[in-house]
Amino acid sequence: MEAAAATDEKLGLTPWLTFRIPSSFRKLVDKLKAITWKLKKIAEDDPRRIRHSLKVGLALTVASISYYVNPFFSGLGASTMWAVLTVVVVMEYTAGATLSKGLNRAFATLLAGAVGVGAHRLAALAGEEWKPVFLSLFVFLLAAMATFSRFVPEIKARYDYGVLIFIMTFSLVAVSGYRVEELIQLAHQRLSTVAIGVAACLAISIFVFPVWAGEDLHNLVASNLDKQAAFLEGVGKEYFEQKLANYKNLEGASFLTSYKTALNSKVIEDSLANFARWEPGHGRFGFRHPWKQYLKICALTRQCACSIDSLNTFISNQEKTQVVSDPEFQQNIRTACSVMSSESGKTLAELAGAIREMRSPFAAAGHLINATSMESSVKTMAPSQSATLSEVLFYATTVNLLLEVVRKVRRLLDAVEELASIAEFKRPEQAKSAAVKRAVEGESSPHVVVDMRG
Amino acid sequence: MEAAAATDEKLGLTPWLTFRIPSSFRKLVDKLKAITWKLKKIAEDDPRRIRHSLKVGLALTVASISYYVNPFFSGLGASTMWAVLTVVVVMEYTAGATLSKGLNRAFATLLAGAVGVGAHRLAALAGEEWKPVFLSLFVFLLAAMATFSRFVPEIKARYDYGVLIFIMTFSLVAVSGYRVEELIQLAHQRLSTVAIGVAACLAISIFVFPVWAGEDLHNLVASNLDKQAAFLEGVGKEYFEQKLANYKNLEGASFLTSYKTALNSKVIEDSLANFARWEPGHGRFGFRHPWKQYLKICALTRQCACSIDSLNTFISNQEKTQVVSDPEFQQNIRTACSVMSSESGKTLAELAGAIREMRSPFAAAGHLINATSMESSVKTMAPSQSATLSEVLFYATTVNLLLEVVRKVRRLLDAVEELASIAEFKRPEQAKSAAVKRAVEGESSPHVVVDMRG
């Protein structure tokens, strides 16, 4: 230490500095490492994010390069900035969102330009002196009315951005100049550049590694169902089926918490469905794919998750206080619960698989029947005299909560079957032959039963 | 009919036309009536919406009038449009949202302008010929990196708009011209106009009938708690307490559905809390009011609503199948349930009142104790031999679901007490003297117990 201090003095550094620099430097390095790790994780969670970032860069570069090389663009002069501006605000993550924003922007600009020119003509009737007064009045009235229209839920959901662009363009046109001829030329220029910007965005978001809102919604619905299925199958197998299983021991199992994501995904689902409606047909989805039915399934999935949550909270809160006083009764109830839970889980897994593979959920009804068939038998299981009251109460509630889950699963089955029929998913025969084909080709298809004798 | 047809022929109208015009006209009138009614309802639901629309109109008119009358503005020339554009996009419903967007826009423009000028200088080093190439490269890289940063949740939540404006301004600066001197002048102009636009928006949204996100969040939290309270008090009084009450008869009671709004209000709450953090101190709220604690209460409220939902669904699904076979047992259980439900409801109502009046929820603990004291007694209520199994199962589950609700209420009480201590709400003595003052002044204060001997 002394030697080090001596060296420092020789170098003219105070010891304070020598000891501070490395430590704060290390902190900085740690912080940078943490940030890098975080960014890496964000990229790995969904590699399409990297692609999207590059696409935005590409779209912008295309728009700016055009400015340098294209004579048409140079002719448009200062309006070129509208192409750049349009690209920045219109380019969204999913193709549907880009389409929605792009079309909203293009049509709102067109409409506002026309209304603006009309307002100029109208105000001109009052004479040159009063023109600014009338124009200001028009801006006030139209802006106030258009802003109010944004509170209408239907407009908010689909045309919010268009209304905003309408207000903006109208105000700009109203303010921007005096002579109508100039205005028309300006409006024409601006519309062309906005159209070029929108076209560039649409082309890139539809043809270069497209991210479809519809496909995301489709997969989200299936994965939410899968998570509920994982909970029910997990609890059925690892808790109810095991004689001495303790719920506490399951702690840390991912299925105990993963089902909760469905509870808070309403907003994502709504916006995906909203954007999906703007998308052209792509891959397995037609233009008029019934996205609304997906929202119905989402709502039922959330209700199912809520029932599962009650079951989960109840067992984890109450189970530790239980004493086994009537082993036979307990064993019977647990076996029944295991069947109800596992079979409901299998039903949901089949529904998820059916959605994913766009086929009819033909194996789901069978599993659901297995689950519901327990209801009548479990209701006749009487405890013996040795059973403690608290034990009876615990299992009674557990069974009732499970039955509630089974009820929700039945409604989900109905909704998915409705989807399969509206969206014309593959019927059993078609699905079977497809499954056979896949099996021959060596792919695995966990939820499809290949019955060659059928 | 014949006479009418004859008249039509005289007039040269085909019967088809005469009968179509009035009917389609009536349809149009009906449609207009429906739309007017809808708009009226939107305005009545929250009269601040009308005021907001007028405020936007005002802000825009101010920005456009400046263009006509202010010599400073005229000097800025074409840049004026940036003031109009800024007003349109920055003016949001709540003051916090306007602040967030305005500050994001101002700082992002400043930063992007500086970086843009730097990029120009750097690219110029490569010679005039290569400059566009390097500038395009910079646009590509910065746009891609900035776009990727928008996937980081922390940036998405608070600076999303700023990043967007950064990309836009940087690209515009990079594309817009060649000479750095011109650029600096342009950047200066643009920054001034953006600043003017932001200042106009902030002034109007903070000083003219301000809508505070924080206040909205505060009221939303209280009203969500009130709705849960209404359910518990309603069911306690009108179902459990009545000997022969049938759950089906309650149908149509608003408290049976209103609690559900809390289940889906997470996004609104999150965004209000996010905007509230940007707001300066206002009315009863300081600048560093603990908005995060409100989100904690919101999360617990949602969990409570989920438990209440289980209880509600269970009773309404199961109750119709019940037969009374052991009236005494049933009466005892129902009385206990009534106490648990009503007293939990009173606890929540007191919590809502305490938040609303910003005082300590001193009466809540007493109600909660009344509710929890039932737990031990209800667990010893044994049914007689005459009780049917299904009756016992039904009441066992009901009691357990209610106990789950009580547990959630206890966590809510803890969270509200924590809020009261962090936010330095009035303590009991202060609150009591305030209540006395109100009582003297003739105001009603339903949830405050004025104990003059205390």
Side-chain angles (χ1 to χ4, degrees):
Chain A
M1 280 298 284
E2 258 176 48
T7 324
D8 286 342
E9 271 165 23
K10 265 187 211 155
L11 289 165
L13 293 167
T14 63
W16 181 82
L17 256 179
T18 37
F19 283 103
R20 293 289 291 209
I21 291 174
S23 114
S24 59
F25 181 72
R26 207 176 308 129
K27 262 186 205 164
L28 188 74
V29 170
D30 284 351
K31 190 131 201 183
L32 281 178
K33 262 189 199 160
I35 292 175
T36 316
W37 185 82
K38 193 169 190 176
L39 290 177
K40 209 177 142 210
K41 203 177 164 295
I42 289 171
E44 279 172 354
D45 280 354
D46 192 345
R48 297 177 302 174
R49 288 169 175 165
I50 298 258
R51 269 186 246 149
H52 172 69
S53 306
L54 296 178
K55 275 158 68 182
V56 172
L58 180 68
L60 260 178
T61 316
V62 167
S64 15
I65 286 181
S66 318
Y67 175 74
Y68 296 115
V69 299
N70 196 323
F72 172 66
F73 255 94
S74 319
L76 290 175
S79 289
T80 319
M81 54 164 273
W82 287 95
V84 172
L85 212 149
T86 302
V87 168
V88 175
V89 281
V90 163
M91 195 77 188
E92 291 274 339
Y93 186 52
T94 60
T98 309
L99 262 161
S100 150
K101 274 194 130 175
L103 295 181
N104 260 304
R105 188 173 184 103
F107 285 105
T109 307
L110 190 65
L111 186 67
V115 176
V117 170
H120 263 275
R121 283 198 199 277
L122 202 67
L125 295 179
E128 209 52 41
E129 211 167 295
W130 286 92
K131 198 177 162 185
V133 177
F134 274 93
L135 280 177
S136 303
L137 189 70
F138 290 155
V139 167
F140 178 80
L141 289 178
L142 267 174
M145 289 192 300
T147 303
F148 188 72
S149 80
R150 294 175 67 197
F151 290 112
V152 179
E154 289 83 1
I155 293 180
K156 180 99 199 155
R158 301 198 71 179
Y159 308 110
D160 194 54
Y161 186 67
V163 176
L164 201 72
I165 292 299
F166 176 85
I167 303 177
M168 191 187 83
T169 309
F170 177 78
S171 310
L172 287 182
V173 170
V175 167
S176 66
Y178 284 107
R179 288 204 357 264
V180 170
E181 298 75 44
E182 282 175 2
L183 264 184
I184 292 180
Q185 200 202 339
L186 189 79
H188 178 243
Q189 279 184 357
R190 188 149 305 164
L191 205 63
S192 320
T193 43
V194 166
I196 291 169
V198 168
C201 290
L202 289 190
I204 289 181
S205 69
I206 292 180
F207 298 116
V208 185
F209 297 115
V211 175
W212 301 106
E215 201 173 336
D216 271 18
L217 178 62
H218 183 88
N219 294 335
L220 181 64
V221 169
S223 98
N224 274 345
L225 284 173
D226 262 339
K227 282 173 192 161
Q228 324 273 309
F231 175 89
L232 292 171
E233 292 190 85
V235 166
K237 199 168 167 171
E238 290 175 37
Y239 174 65
F240 288 124
E241 210 177 86
Q242 311 300 315
K243 224 181 207 167
L244 298 166
N246 198 309
Y247 208 70
K248 228 182 159 56
N249 296 343
L250 296 183
E251 254 177 37
S254 67
F255 63 77
L256 283 188
T257 48
S258 63
Y259 70 89
K260 290 184 186 180
T261 52
L263 287 171
N264 284 323
S265 59
K266 182 177 191 307
V267 179
I268 304 170
E269 293 153 6
D270 284 354
S271 86
L272 284 179
N274 186 20
F275 294 139
R277 267 180 257 158
W278 292 87
E279 290 174 347
H282 53 276
R284 306 175 292 170
F285 308 102
F287 174 57
R288 294 209 163 274
H289 198 71
W291 301 116
K292 272 207 170 167
Q293 185 67 19
Y294 282 83
L295 289 186
K296 205 169 151 189
I297 297 175
C298 288
L300 292 172
T301 309
R302 245 174 288 127
Q303 288 177 17
C304 184
C306 198
S307 297
I308 286 182
D309 197 49
S310 301
L311 178 70
N312 185 22
T313 332
F314 174 73
I315 302 184
S316 63
N317 279 342
Q318 294 285 309
E319 199 234 9
K320 53 188 172 292
T321 62
Q322 300 307 316
V323 213
V324 182
S325 48
D326 183 348
E328 200 195 326
F329 167 71
Q330 179 165 335
Q331 188 53 43
N332 289 342
I333 290 264
R334 284 180 81 130
T335 307
C337 285
S338 163
V339 172
M340 281 197 277
S341 186
S342 303
E343 292 291 321
S344 311
K346 281 178 192 157
T347 313
L348 290 182
E350 163 71 5
L351 293 183
I355 290 178
R356 213 166 258 135
E357 299 167 19
M358 299 189 90
R359 56 172 175 80
S360 168
F362 48 85
H367 290 301
L368 188 62
I369 289 171
N370 294 344
T372 45
S373 67
M374 285 292 126
E375 179 163 0
S376 50
S377 68
V378 85
K379 286 211 165 156
T380 56
M381 288 176 190
S384 71
Q385 288 295 333
S386 66
T388 58
L389 190 61
S390 84
E391 187 181 15
V392 176
L393 294 186
F394 173 73
Y395 282 109
T397 307
T398 305
V399 166
N400 272 319
L401 289 175
L402 250 177
L403 285 173
E404 201 52 55
V405 173
V406 174
R407 224 164 277 129
K408 300 280 162 69
V409 171
R410 183 180 301 133
R411 290 169 66 188
L412 268 166
L413 171 61
D414 293 344
V416 174
E417 277 179 344
E418 204 181 329
L419 173 69
S421 97
I422 306 174
E424 295 174 3
F425 281 1
K426 288 186 286 269
R427 284 187 310 274
E429 317 80 57
Q430 295 169 296
K432 272 184 197 171
S433 66
V436 171
K437 198 159 157 264
R438 263 202 311 283
V440 169
E441 284 163 2
E443 262 184 56
S444 70
S445 54
H447 300 307
V448 183
V449 181
V450 184
D451 186 359
M452 302 296 281
R453 295 160 299 173
Chain B
M1 280 298 286
E2 258 177 48
T7 324
D8 286 343
E9 271 167 24
K10 264 186 211 156
L11 289 166
L13 293 167
T14 64
W16 181 82
L17 256 180
T18 36
F19 284 103
R20 292 290 289 210
I21 292 173
S23 112
S24 60
F25 180 71
R26 208 178 305 129
K27 263 186 203 161
L28 188 74
V29 170
D30 284 351
K31 189 130 203 184
L32 281 177
K33 262 189 198 161
I35 292 175
T36 315
W37 185 84
K38 192 168 192 178
L39 291 177
K40 212 179 138 206
K41 203 176 165 297
I42 289 172
E44 278 172 354
D45 280 354
D46 192 345
R48 298 177 302 174
R49 287 169 177 167
I50 297 259
R51 271 186 243 149
H52 171 71
S53 307
L54 297 178
K55 275 158 67 182
V56 173
L58 180 68
L60 260 179
T61 317
V62 167
S64 14
I65 285 182
S66 318
Y67 175 74
Y68 296 116
V69 299
N70 197 323
F72 171 65
F73 255 94
S74 319
L76 290 176
S79 289
T80 319
M81 53 164 273
W82 287 95
V84 171
L85 212 148
T86 303
V87 168
V88 175
V89 280
V90 163
M91 195 77 187
E92 290 274 338
Y93 186 53
T94 60
T98 309
L99 263 161
S100 149
K101 274 193 129 176
L103 296 181
N104 261 304
R105 191 177 181 98
F107 284 106
T109 306
L110 190 65
L111 186 67
V115 175
V117 170
H120 263 276
R121 282 198 199 279
L122 202 66
L125 294 179
E128 209 53 38
E129 212 166 296
W130 286 91
K131 199 177 161 186
V133 177
F134 274 94
L135 280 177
S136 302
L137 190 70
F138 290 155
V139 167
F140 178 80
L141 288 178
L142 268 174
M145 287 193 300
T147 303
F148 187 72
S149 80
R150 293 175 67 197
F151 289 113
V152 180
E154 289 83 1
I155 293 180
K156 181 98 199 153
R158 302 199 70 178
Y159 308 109
D160 194 53
Y161 186 65
V163 175
L164 200 72
I165 293 298
F166 176 84
I167 302 177
M168 191 186 82
T169 309
F170 176 78
S171 310
L172 287 182
V173 171
V175 167
S176 68
Y178 284 107
R179 289 206 355 266
V180 170
E181 297 76 42
E182 282 174 3
L183 263 185
I184 291 181
Q185 200 201 340
L186 189 80
H188 178 242
Q189 279 183 358
R190 187 149 306 165
L191 204 65
S192 320
T193 43
V194 166
I196 291 170
V198 168
C201 290
L202 289 190
I204 290 181
S205 69
I206 291 179
F207 298 116
V208 185
F209 299 115
V211 175
W212 300 106
E215 202 173 336
D216 271 18
L217 177 62
H218 183 88
N219 294 334
L220 181 65
V221 169
S223 97
N224 274 345
L225 284 173
D226 261 340
K227 282 173 192 160
Q228 324 273 309
F231 176 89
L232 292 171
E233 292 191 86
V235 166
K237 204 171 159 159
E238 289 175 39
Y239 173 65
F240 288 125
E241 209 177 86
Q242 312 298 317
K243 224 180 206 168
L244 297 166
N246 197 308
Y247 207 72
K248 227 178 159 58
N249 295 342
L250 296 183
E251 253 178 35
S254 67
F255 63 77
L256 283 189
T257 49
S258 63
Y259 71 88
K260 291 183 185 178
T261 52
L263 287 171
N264 284 324
S265 58
K266 181 175 191 308
V267 180
I268 304 171
E269 293 154 4
D270 283 353
S271 87
L272 284 179
N274 186 20
F275 294 139
R277 266 181 256 157
W278 292 87
E279 290 175 348
H282 54 277
R284 306 173 293 169
F285 308 102
F287 174 58
R288 292 208 165 278
H289 199 70
W291 301 115
K292 273 208 169 164
Q293 184 67 18
Y294 281 82
L295 289 185
K296 204 170 151 190
I297 297 175
C298 288
L300 292 172
T301 309
R302 245 173 289 127
Q303 288 178 15
C304 183
C306 198
S307 297
I308 286 183
D309 198 49
S310 301
L311 178 69
N312 185 22
T313 331
F314 174 72
I315 302 183
S316 63
N317 279 342
Q318 294 286 308
E319 198 233 11
K320 53 187 173 293
T321 62
Q322 299 307 315
V323 211
V324 183
S325 46
D326 183 349
E328 199 194 325
F329 167 72
Q330 178 165 336
Q331 188 53 40
N332 289 343
I333 289 264
R334 284 181 80 129
T335 308
C337 285
S338 163
V339 172
M340 281 196 278
S341 186
S342 302
E343 293 290 321
S344 312
K346 282 178 191 158
T347 313
L348 290 183
E350 163 71 4
L351 294 183
I355 290 177
R356 215 166 256 133
E357 300 168 16
M358 299 189 91
R359 58 174 174 77
S360 169
F362 48 84
H367 289 303
L368 187 63
I369 288 171
N370 294 344
T372 45
S373 67
M374 285 293 127
E375 180 163 359
S376 51
S377 68
V378 86
K379 288 212 163 155
T380 55
M381 288 178 193
S384 71
Q385 287 295 332
S386 66
T388 58
L389 189 63
S390 84
E391 187 180 15
V392 176
L393 293 186
F394 173 73
Y395 282 108
T397 307
T398 305
V399 166
N400 272 320
L401 290 176
L402 250 177
L403 285 173
E404 202 51 55
V405 173
V406 174
R407 222 164 278 130
K408 299 279 162 68
V409 171
R410 183 180 299 133
R411 290 170 66 188
L412 269 167
L413 171 62
D414 293 343
V416 174
E417 277 179 344
E418 203 181 329
L419 172 68
S421 97
I422 306 174
E424 295 175 4
F425 281 1
K426 289 186 285 269
R427 283 188 307 278
E429 317 82 55
Q430 295 169 296
K432 272 183 198 173
S433 66
V436 171
K437 197 158 157 266
R438 262 201 313 281
V440 170
E441 285 163 1
E443 262 184 54
S444 70
S445 53
H447 301 307
V448 182
V449 181
V450 184
D451 186 359
M452 302 298 280
R453 296 159 300 175

